[in-house]
Structure formats: structure tokens, C-alpha cells
Amino acid sequence: MPDEITQGNGSGTPQNRTEMAPPRTRKQKLIRLSIGVFAGGLLGFAYYAFIGCSSGGCPITSSPYISTLYGSLFGAVIAYG
């Protein structure tokens, strides 16, 4: 192994630029976030359709709008991270 990789500067960051992943562009981040929101919304609606409660006692799963919104929000959080 080259010395520049094994010898660090003490901060734990790699010295060789080829080891670091290239930064994502703004367009890639937006596409990833959009896919996460869409997939989360789809799964939220599927959760309402297949598992949700019809009595109205469950605040998240009693409405398709709310379950889709929560699913989209969850998908955005997962895609952003």
C-alpha cells in the first residue's frame, strides 16, 4: 500500500482523492429524493389499502391522503440520508 494512504494526517480522512466517492450533483440528489418520495407515497397508499383500518380509530391509516403523506415523508427521509 502506498504511504499516502496508510499515513494519515491524523483526522481519519483519506489522503488519496481516488478513495473518496465523487460528490453528487444537484440533479442526482433531486432525482433520488423524487424517487424516494414517490416510492414512499406508493407504499403508504398500499399500506392504507391492504392493512389500514376502516373504523376511523387509527389516525394514520384511516385516510388514504394521510397514509400517502406519511409514506412520502418517510420515503424522503430515507432517500435523503
Side-chain angles (χ1 to χ4, degrees):
M1 292 182 91
D3 287 339
E4 64 185 33
I5 295 174
T6 57
Q7 300 287 332
N9 59 1
S11 67
T13 59
Q15 294 292 314
N16 192 351
R17 291 285 292 170
T18 59
E19 282 190 15
M20 297 175 62
R24 290 192 178 114
T25 63
R26 189 178 189 118
K27 185 177 178 181
Q28 287 174 332
K29 289 179 184 179
L30 185 62
I31 290 172
R32 182 176 176 177
L33 186 64
S34 299
I35 290 171
V37 168
F38 181 75
L42 193 63
L43 289 173
F45 184 79
Y47 189 82
Y48 160 78
F50 296 114
I51 301 172
C53 67
S54 59
S55 66
C58 313
I60 295 175
T61 59
S62 63
S63 168
Y65 300 111
I66 294 175
S67 63
T68 304
L69 180 68
Y70 271 97
S72 296
L73 203 67
F74 189 69
V77 168
I78 295 296
Y80 190 74

